[in-house]
Amino acid sequence: TDYIGSRAALGSVLVRSGEALAAPSPAPLAIPALTESRCGTLVRIDGVRYTPEDLSAATWAGYKRFTDAGGAEIYTYVRNYAGFAGEEVPAGKSCSLTGILQYDDAGKGRYLLKLRDENDCMY
């Protein structure tokens, strides 16, 4: 996929039906239910806690590990330039994470949530 290069090209393929635009609603999933077929979709995972792997800074930038009550893992990924990258990750609190599901097969073979903003972590 790629961006549509011009407004004219976009206008030739995109048609609004007159319906009001609805905000996307995430699919509620548990970590064990994640599949590669869900990648690219907006999902919400409830009941997770931040469980750092090392003593690095507890800010959102980079990869952060969260686990559920059963020990299943999900990672978040936030680029350094994101407006909330320097904000502190909520340690010790149960939270819900919402983001675009991705699978990192080049790295450690793990699922990632790409957060959109600081509101994608609710506790």
Side-chain angles (χ1 to χ4, degrees):
T1 61
D2 202 356
Y3 294 103
I4 296 178
S6 72
R7 185 157 302 275
L10 178 63
S12 70
V13 296
L14 185 65
V15 179
R16 291 214 31 209
S17 65
E19 294 179 24
L21 294 177
S25 59
L29 295 174
I31 295 172
L34 300 177
T35 62
E36 289 186 46
S37 66
R38 287 293 214 167
C39 288
T41 64
L42 186 64
V43 301
R44 185 186 76 237
I45 301 172
D46 298 323
V48 294
R49 290 182 187 275
Y50 174 53
T51 50
E53 295 180 293
D54 55 30
L55 298 176
S56 63
T59 60
W60 283 109
Y63 296 95
K64 301 300 175 208
R65 181 178 66 173
F66 288 77
T67 55
D68 65 11
E73 300 176 332
I74 183 76
Y75 287 77
T76 60
Y77 181 67
V78 174
R79 295 195 182 269
N80 289 331
Y81 59 76
F84 66 104
E87 299 296 320
E88 194 171 321
V89 179
K93 297 179 181 181
S94 180
C95 64
S96 294
L97 295 172
T98 300
I100 305 298
L101 184 64
Q102 299 178 335
Y103 185 75
D104 180 16
D105 60 356
K108 299 182 180 183
R110 59 190 177 188
Y111 286 101
L112 308 171
L113 282 181
K114 190 157 188 184
L115 306 182
R116 301 165 297 172
D117 59 36
E118 64 273 10
N119 296 317
D120 278 343
C121 177
M122 301 297 291
Y123 48 95

